[in-house]
Amino acid sequence: QVTLKESGPSLVKPTQTLTLTCTVSGFSLTTGGVGVGWIRQPPGKALEWLALIYWDDDKRYSPSLSSRLTISKDSSKDRVVLTMTNVAPLDTGTYYCARTLDSIVGGAWMYSVPPLGPYFDYWGQGALVTVSS
Amino acid sequence: NFILTQPHSMSESPGKTVTISCTRSSGDIASSYVHWYQQRPGSSPTTLIYDDNQRPYGVPDRFSGSIDSSSNSASLTISGLKTEDEADYYCLSYDSDSFWVFGGGTKLSVL
């Protein structure tokens, strides 16, 4: 059974660094094709993709937030960590981690040739983070 | 870079059919898959449609997805509406510069 669970502080002060951890089970972070991403959702607003790390440690970041984000993983502990520097009240919201899974078709990763783009098949329950002094 | 535009809200009666659009602002809609999520209040998103038109196991065939290159948009169609379908719906696609884009979400009311 695939599960993901977010953990981290519920309250962070402006200008501080936010660190969130996603602990996964039911799959390995080193399996070819696996990616774990972070998505956030401000209260009452839309989903926003933040970052993703692949099984081979390749990393992707939202262009608008890349200067503030770092994603990493500890495969031995089944954890993916997201850090966000210099937080502000606008960063308040629910932070989700979610898995993507690619597969090899015809000798190539399926989602690396058009049409592109894997989807997030399993999501965590989310962690609410409030940025306030 | 592109944005995905969805209607902010829609409303329909039980038993009817509703179609939610997701329009890509630039680039070919068919160049990347479009995926759809349902999010009920207080819950995480769940996958309704992946790879334009595929349903995960357990999703009823009342839900279907399609893309239309002429309007550069994707659509989620829900037939035989039930009150339990009242939720927020999001489309998702992928930019060739290696990042994901969500639509702004559509709040569906069934009444």
Coordinates of all heavy atoms in Angstrom, one line a residue, chain B residues 36-103:
Chain B
W36 N -6.6 15.2 -14.5 CA -7.7 15.8 -13.7 C -7.8 15.3 -12.3 O -7.7 14.1 -12.1 CB -9.1 15.6 -14.4 CG -9.2 16.4 -15.7 CD1 -8.9 15.9 -17.0 CD2 -9.7 17.7 -15.9 NE1 -9.2 16.9 -17.9 CE2 -9.7 18.0 -17.3 CE3 -10.2 18.7 -15.0 CZ2 -10.1 19.2 -17.8 CZ3 -10.6 19.9 -15.5 CH2 -10.6 20.1 -16.9
Y37 N -8.0 16.2 -11.4 CA -8.2 15.8 -10.0 C -9.5 16.3 -9.4 O -10.0 17.4 -9.8 CB -7.0 16.4 -9.1 CG -5.7 15.8 -9.5 CD1 -4.9 16.4 -10.5 CD2 -5.2 14.7 -8.9 CE1 -3.7 15.8 -10.9 CE2 -4.0 14.1 -9.3 CZ -3.3 14.7 -10.3 OH -2.1 14.1 -10.6
Q38 N -10.0 15.6 -8.4 CA -11.2 16.0 -7.7 C -10.7 16.3 -6.2 O -9.9 15.4 -5.7 CB -12.2 14.9 -7.7 CG -13.5 15.2 -6.8 CD -14.4 14.0 -6.7 OE1 -14.0 13.0 -6.0 NE2 -15.6 14.1 -7.2
Q39 N -11.1 17.4 -5.7 CA -10.8 17.6 -4.3 C -12.0 18.0 -3.5 O -12.6 19.1 -3.8 CB -9.7 18.8 -4.2 CG -9.2 19.0 -2.8 CD -8.2 20.1 -2.7 OE1 -8.2 21.1 -3.4 NE2 -7.3 19.9 -1.7
R40 N -12.4 17.2 -2.6 CA -13.5 17.5 -1.7 C -13.0 18.3 -0.5 O -11.8 18.3 -0.2 CB -14.2 16.2 -1.2 CG -14.9 15.4 -2.4 CD -15.8 14.4 -1.8 NE -16.6 13.7 -2.9 CZ -16.3 12.6 -3.4 NH1 -15.3 11.9 -3.0 NH2 -17.1 12.1 -4.4
P41 N -13.9 19.1 0.1 CA -13.5 20.0 1.2 C -12.8 19.2 2.3 O -13.2 18.1 2.7 CB -14.8 20.6 1.7 CG -15.7 20.5 0.5 CD -15.3 19.3 -0.3
G42 N -11.6 19.7 2.7 CA -10.8 19.1 3.7 C -10.1 17.9 3.4 O -9.5 17.2 4.3
S43 N -10.1 17.5 2.1 CA -9.4 16.3 1.6 C -8.3 16.6 0.6 O -8.3 17.7 0.0 CB -10.4 15.3 1.0 OG -11.3 14.9 2.0
S44 N -7.4 15.6 0.5 CA -6.4 15.7 -0.6 C -7.0 15.5 -1.9 O -8.0 14.8 -2.1 CB -5.3 14.7 -0.3 OG -4.8 14.8 1.0
P45 N -6.3 16.0 -3.0 CA -6.8 15.7 -4.3 C -6.7 14.2 -4.6 O -5.8 13.6 -4.1 CB -5.9 16.5 -5.2 CG -5.3 17.6 -4.3 CD -5.2 17.0 -3.0
T46 N -7.6 13.7 -5.5 CA -7.6 12.4 -5.9 C -7.6 12.4 -7.5 O -8.3 13.3 -8.1 CB -8.7 11.5 -5.4 OG1 -10.0 12.1 -5.8 CG2 -8.6 11.4 -3.9
T47 N -7.0 11.4 -8.1 CA -7.0 11.4 -9.6 C -8.3 10.9 -10.1 O -8.7 9.8 -9.8 CB -5.8 10.5 -10.0 OG1 -4.6 10.8 -9.4 CG2 -5.6 10.6 -11.5
L48 N -8.8 11.7 -11.0 CA -10.0 11.3 -11.8 C -9.7 10.8 -13.2 O -10.2 9.8 -13.6 CB -11.0 12.5 -11.9 CG -11.9 12.8 -10.8 CD1 -12.7 14.0 -11.3 CD2 -12.8 11.6 -10.5
I49 N -8.8 11.5 -13.8 CA -8.4 11.2 -15.2 C -6.9 11.4 -15.3 O -6.4 12.4 -14.8 CB -9.2 12.1 -16.2 CG1 -10.7 11.9 -16.2 CG2 -8.6 11.8 -17.6 CD1 -11.1 10.5 -16.7
Y50 N -6.2 10.5 -15.9 CA -4.8 10.7 -16.2 C -4.5 10.5 -17.7 O -5.3 9.8 -18.4 CB -3.9 9.9 -15.3 CG -4.0 8.4 -15.6 CD1 -3.1 7.7 -16.4 CD2 -5.0 7.6 -15.0 CE1 -3.2 6.4 -16.7 CE2 -5.1 6.2 -15.3 CZ -4.2 5.6 -16.1 OH -4.3 4.3 -16.4
D51 N -3.5 11.0 -18.2 CA -3.1 10.9 -19.6 C -4.2 11.2 -20.5 O -4.6 10.4 -21.4 CB -2.6 9.4 -19.8 CG -1.3 9.1 -19.1 OD1 -0.8 10.0 -18.4 OD2 -0.8 8.0 -19.2
D52 N -4.8 12.3 -20.3 CA -5.9 12.9 -21.2 C -7.3 12.2 -20.9 O -8.3 12.9 -20.9 CB -5.6 12.8 -22.7 CG -4.4 13.7 -23.1 OD1 -4.1 14.6 -22.3 OD2 -3.8 13.4 -24.2
N53 N -7.3 10.9 -20.9 CA -8.6 10.2 -21.0 C -8.6 8.9 -20.3 O -9.6 8.1 -20.5 CB -9.0 10.0 -22.4 CG -8.0 9.3 -23.3 OD1 -7.1 8.6 -22.7 ND2 -8.0 9.5 -24.6
Q54 N -7.6 8.6 -19.4 CA -7.6 7.3 -18.8 C -8.2 7.4 -17.3 O -7.9 8.4 -16.6 CB -6.2 6.8 -18.7 CG -5.5 6.6 -20.1 CD -6.3 5.6 -20.9 OE1 -6.4 4.5 -20.5 NE2 -6.7 6.1 -22.1
R55 N -9.0 6.5 -17.0 CA -9.5 6.5 -15.6 C -8.8 5.5 -14.7 O -8.6 4.3 -15.1 CB -11.0 6.0 -15.6 CG -12.0 7.1 -16.0 CD -13.4 6.6 -15.8 NE -13.6 5.3 -16.4 CZ -14.0 5.2 -17.7 NH1 -14.1 6.3 -18.4 NH2 -14.2 4.0 -18.2
P56 N -8.4 5.9 -13.5 CA -7.8 5.0 -12.6 C -8.8 3.9 -12.2 O -10.0 4.2 -12.2 CB -7.4 5.8 -11.4 CG -7.3 7.2 -11.9 CD -8.4 7.3 -13.0
Y57 N -8.3 2.8 -11.7 CA -9.2 1.8 -11.2 C -10.1 2.4 -10.1 O -9.6 3.0 -9.2 CB -8.4 0.6 -10.7 CG -9.2 -0.5 -10.1 CD1 -9.9 -1.4 -10.9 CD2 -9.4 -0.6 -8.7 CE1 -10.6 -2.4 -10.4 CE2 -10.1 -1.6 -8.2 CZ -10.8 -2.5 -9.0 OH -11.6 -3.5 -8.5
G58 N -11.4 2.1 -10.2 CA -12.3 2.6 -9.2 C -13.0 3.9 -9.5 O -14.0 4.2 -8.8
V59 N -12.5 4.6 -10.5 CA -13.3 5.8 -10.9 C -14.4 5.4 -11.8 O -14.1 4.8 -12.9 CB -12.3 6.8 -11.6 CG1 -13.1 8.0 -12.1 CG2 -11.3 7.3 -10.6
P60 N -15.6 5.8 -11.5 CA -16.7 5.4 -12.4 C -16.6 6.0 -13.8 O -16.0 7.0 -14.0 CB -17.9 6.1 -11.7 CG -17.5 6.4 -10.3 CD -16.0 6.7 -10.4
D61 N -17.2 5.3 -14.7 CA -17.2 5.7 -16.1 C -18.1 6.9 -16.4 O -18.2 7.4 -17.6 CB -17.5 4.6 -17.1 CG -18.9 4.0 -16.9 OD1 -19.6 4.5 -16.1 OD2 -19.2 2.9 -17.5
R62 N -18.7 7.5 -15.4 CA -19.4 8.7 -15.5 C -18.4 9.9 -15.7 O -18.8 11.0 -16.2 CB -20.2 9.1 -14.2 CG -21.2 8.0 -13.8 CD -22.1 8.5 -12.7 NE -21.3 8.8 -11.4 CZ -21.1 10.0 -10.9 NH1 -21.5 11.1 -11.6 NH2 -20.4 10.1 -9.8
F63 N -17.2 9.6 -15.4 CA -16.1 10.6 -15.6 C -15.3 10.3 -16.8 O -14.9 9.2 -17.0 CB -15.2 10.7 -14.4 CG -15.8 11.1 -13.1 CD1 -16.4 10.1 -12.3 CD2 -15.9 12.4 -12.7 CE1 -17.1 10.5 -11.1 CE2 -16.5 12.8 -11.5 CZ -17.1 11.8 -10.7
S64 N -15.2 11.3 -17.7 CA -14.4 11.1 -18.9 C -13.6 12.4 -19.2 O -14.0 13.5 -18.9 CB -15.3 10.7 -20.1 OG -16.2 11.7 -20.4
G65 N -12.5 12.1 -19.9 CA -11.6 13.3 -20.3 C -11.3 13.3 -21.8 O -11.3 12.2 -22.4
S66 N -11.0 14.4 -22.3 CA -10.7 14.6 -23.7 C -9.9 15.8 -24.0 O -9.8 16.7 -23.1 CB -12.0 14.6 -24.6 OG -12.7 15.8 -24.3
I67 N -9.2 15.9 -25.1 CA -8.6 17.1 -25.5 C -9.1 17.5 -26.9 O -9.5 16.7 -27.7 CB -7.0 17.0 -25.5 CG1 -6.5 15.9 -26.5 CG2 -6.5 16.7 -24.1 CD1 -5.0 16.0 -26.7
D68 N -9.0 18.8 -27.2 CA -9.5 19.4 -28.4 C -8.4 20.3 -28.9 O -8.2 21.4 -28.4 CB -10.8 20.1 -28.2 CG -11.3 20.7 -29.5 OD1 -10.7 20.6 -30.5 OD2 -12.4 21.3 -29.4
S69 N -7.7 19.9 -29.9 CA -6.6 20.8 -30.4 C -7.1 22.1 -31.1 O -6.4 23.1 -31.1 CB -5.8 20.0 -31.4 OG -5.1 18.9 -30.8
S70 N -8.3 22.0 -31.6 CA -8.9 23.2 -32.3 C -9.1 24.4 -31.3 O -9.0 25.5 -31.6 CB -10.2 22.9 -33.0 OG -11.2 22.6 -32.1
S71 N -9.4 24.0 -30.0 CA -9.6 25.1 -29.0 C -8.5 25.1 -28.0 O -8.5 25.9 -27.1 CB -10.9 24.9 -28.3 OG -10.9 23.6 -27.6
N72 N -7.5 24.2 -28.3 CA -6.3 24.1 -27.4 C -6.7 23.9 -25.9 O -6.2 24.5 -25.0 CB -5.4 25.3 -27.5 CG -3.9 24.9 -27.3 OD1 -3.5 23.9 -27.8 ND2 -3.1 25.7 -26.7
S73 N -7.7 23.0 -25.8 CA -8.2 22.8 -24.4 C -8.5 21.4 -24.1 O -8.5 20.5 -25.0 CB -9.5 23.6 -24.2 OG -10.5 23.1 -25.1
A74 N -8.6 21.1 -22.9 CA -9.0 19.8 -22.4 C -10.3 19.9 -21.7 O -10.7 21.0 -21.2 CB -7.9 19.2 -21.4
S75 N -11.0 18.8 -21.6 CA -12.3 18.8 -20.9 C -12.5 17.6 -20.0 O -12.1 16.5 -20.4 CB -13.5 18.8 -22.0 OG -13.4 20.0 -22.7
L76 N -13.2 17.9 -18.9 CA -13.6 16.8 -18.0 C -15.1 16.8 -18.1 O -15.8 17.8 -17.8 CB -13.1 17.1 -16.6 CG -13.7 16.2 -15.5 CD1 -13.2 14.7 -15.7 CD2 -13.4 16.7 -14.1
T77 N -15.7 15.7 -18.5 CA -17.2 15.6 -18.5 C -17.6 14.6 -17.4 O -17.1 13.5 -17.3 CB -17.6 15.0 -19.9 OG1 -17.2 16.0 -20.9 CG2 -19.1 14.9 -20.0
I78 N -18.6 15.1 -16.7 CA -19.2 14.2 -15.7 C -20.7 14.1 -16.0 O -21.5 15.0 -16.1 CB -19.1 14.9 -14.3 CG1 -17.7 15.4 -14.0 CG2 -19.6 13.9 -13.2 CD1 -17.6 16.2 -12.7
S79 N -21.1 12.8 -16.3 CA -22.5 12.6 -16.6 C -23.2 12.0 -15.4 O -22.6 11.5 -14.5 CB -22.6 11.6 -17.8 OG -21.9 10.4 -17.5
G80 N -24.6 12.0 -15.5 CA -25.4 11.5 -14.4 C -24.9 12.1 -13.0 O -24.7 11.3 -12.1
L81 N -24.9 13.4 -13.0 CA -24.4 14.1 -11.8 C -25.0 13.6 -10.5 O -26.2 13.4 -10.4 CB -24.5 15.6 -11.9 CG -23.4 16.3 -12.6 CD1 -23.9 17.8 -12.9 CD2 -22.1 16.3 -11.8
K82 N -24.2 13.4 -9.5 CA -24.7 13.1 -8.1 C -24.3 14.2 -7.2 O -23.3 14.9 -7.4 CB -24.1 11.7 -7.7 CG -24.4 10.6 -8.6 CD -23.8 9.3 -8.1 CE -24.2 8.1 -9.0 NZ -23.8 6.8 -8.4
T83 N -25.0 14.3 -6.1 CA -24.6 15.3 -5.1 C -23.2 15.1 -4.6 O -22.5 16.1 -4.2 CB -25.6 15.3 -3.9 OG1 -25.7 14.0 -3.4 CG2 -27.0 15.7 -4.4
E84 N -22.7 13.9 -4.5 CA -21.4 13.6 -4.1 C -20.3 14.1 -5.0 O -19.1 14.1 -4.7 CB -21.2 12.1 -3.9 CG -21.2 11.3 -5.1 CD -21.6 9.9 -4.9 OE1 -22.5 9.6 -4.2 OE2 -20.9 9.0 -5.5
D85 N -20.7 14.5 -6.2 CA -19.7 15.1 -7.2 C -19.4 16.6 -6.9 O -18.5 17.2 -7.5 CB -20.2 15.0 -8.6 CG -20.5 13.5 -9.1 OD1 -19.7 12.6 -8.5 OD2 -21.3 13.3 -9.9
E86 N -20.1 17.1 -5.9 CA -19.9 18.5 -5.6 C -18.5 18.6 -4.9 O -18.2 18.0 -3.9 CB -20.9 19.0 -4.6 CG -20.9 20.5 -4.3 CD -22.2 21.0 -3.8 OE1 -23.2 21.1 -4.5 OE2 -22.2 21.4 -2.6
A87 N -17.6 19.3 -5.6 CA -16.2 19.4 -5.2 C -15.5 20.4 -6.1 O -16.1 21.0 -7.0 CB -15.5 18.0 -5.4
D88 N -14.2 20.6 -5.8 CA -13.3 21.4 -6.7 C -12.6 20.4 -7.6 O -12.2 19.3 -7.3 CB -12.3 22.1 -5.9 CG -12.9 23.2 -5.0 OD1 -14.0 23.7 -5.4 OD2 -12.4 23.4 -3.9
Y89 N -12.4 20.9 -8.9 CA -11.8 20.1 -9.9 C -10.6 20.8 -10.5 O -10.7 22.0 -10.8 CB -12.8 19.7 -11.0 CG -13.8 18.7 -10.5 CD1 -15.0 19.2 -9.9 CD2 -13.7 17.4 -10.6 CE1 -15.9 18.4 -9.4 CE2 -14.7 16.5 -10.1 CZ -15.8 17.0 -9.5 OH -16.7 16.2 -9.0
Y90 N -9.5 20.2 -10.6 CA -8.3 20.8 -11.1 C -7.7 20.0 -12.3 O -7.6 18.8 -12.3 CB -7.2 20.9 -10.1 CG -7.5 21.8 -8.9 CD1 -8.1 21.3 -7.8 CD2 -7.2 23.1 -8.9 CE1 -8.5 22.1 -6.7 CE2 -7.5 24.0 -7.9 CZ -8.1 23.4 -6.8 OH -8.4 24.3 -5.7
C91 N -7.2 20.7 -13.3 CA -6.5 20.1 -14.4 C -5.0 20.4 -14.1 O -4.6 21.3 -13.4 CB -6.9 20.6 -15.8 SG -6.7 22.4 -16.0
L92 N -4.2 19.5 -14.7 CA -2.7 19.5 -14.5 C -2.1 19.2 -15.8 O -2.5 18.2 -16.5 CB -2.3 18.5 -13.4 CG -0.8 18.2 -13.3 CD1 -0.1 19.5 -12.7 CD2 -0.6 17.0 -12.4
S93 N -1.1 19.9 -16.2 CA -0.3 19.5 -17.3 C 1.2 19.9 -17.1 O 1.6 20.3 -16.0 CB -0.8 20.2 -18.6 OG -0.3 19.6 -19.8
Y94 N 2.0 19.7 -18.1 CA 3.5 19.7 -17.9 C 4.1 20.6 -18.9 O 3.8 20.6 -20.1 CB 4.0 18.3 -18.0 CG 5.5 18.1 -17.8 CD1 6.0 18.0 -16.5 CD2 6.4 18.0 -18.9 CE1 7.4 17.8 -16.3 CE2 7.7 17.8 -18.6 CZ 8.2 17.7 -17.3 OH 9.6 17.5 -17.1
D95 N 5.0 21.5 -18.5 CA 5.7 22.4 -19.4 C 7.0 21.7 -19.8 O 7.7 21.1 -19.0 CB 6.0 23.7 -18.7 CG 6.6 24.7 -19.6 OD1 7.7 24.6 -20.1 OD2 5.9 25.7 -19.8
S96 N 7.4 21.9 -21.1 CA 8.5 21.2 -21.6 C 9.8 21.7 -21.0 O 10.9 21.1 -21.1 CB 8.6 21.4 -23.1 OG 8.6 22.8 -23.4
D97 N 9.8 22.8 -20.2 CA 10.9 23.2 -19.5 C 11.0 22.6 -18.1 O 11.7 23.0 -17.2 CB 10.9 24.8 -19.3 CG 11.2 25.5 -20.5 OD1 12.0 24.9 -21.4 OD2 10.8 26.6 -20.7
S98 N 10.2 21.5 -18.0 CA 10.3 20.6 -16.8 C 9.7 21.0 -15.6 O 10.3 21.0 -14.5 CB 11.8 20.2 -16.6 OG 12.4 19.6 -17.7
F99 N 8.5 21.5 -15.7 CA 7.7 21.8 -14.5 C 6.2 21.6 -14.7 O 5.8 21.6 -15.9 CB 8.0 23.2 -13.9 CG 7.7 24.3 -14.8 CD1 6.5 24.9 -14.8 CD2 8.7 24.8 -15.7 CE1 6.2 26.0 -15.7 CE2 8.4 25.9 -16.5 CZ 7.2 26.5 -16.5
W100 N 5.5 21.4 -13.7 CA 4.1 21.2 -13.7 C 3.3 22.4 -13.5 O 3.7 23.3 -12.8 CB 3.7 20.1 -12.7 CG 4.1 18.7 -13.0 CD1 3.2 17.8 -13.5 CD2 5.3 18.1 -12.8 NE1 3.9 16.6 -13.7 CE2 5.2 16.8 -13.3 CE3 6.6 18.6 -12.3 CZ2 6.3 15.9 -13.2 CZ3 7.6 17.7 -12.3 CH2 7.5 16.4 -12.8
V101 N 2.1 22.5 -14.2 CA 1.2 23.6 -14.1 C -0.2 23.1 -13.8 O -0.7 22.2 -14.5 CB 1.1 24.4 -15.5 CG1 0.2 25.5 -15.4 CG2 2.5 24.8 -15.9
F102 N -0.8 23.7 -12.7 CA -2.2 23.4 -12.4 C -3.1 24.5 -12.9 O -2.7 25.6 -13.0 CB -2.4 23.3 -10.9 CG -1.9 22.0 -10.2 CD1 -0.6 22.0 -9.6 CD2 -2.7 20.9 -10.1 CE1 -0.2 20.8 -9.0 CE2 -2.3 19.8 -9.5 CZ -1.0 19.7 -9.0
G103 N -4.3 24.1 -13.3 CA -5.3 25.1 -13.6 C -5.8 25.7 -12.3 O -5.5 25.3 -11.2

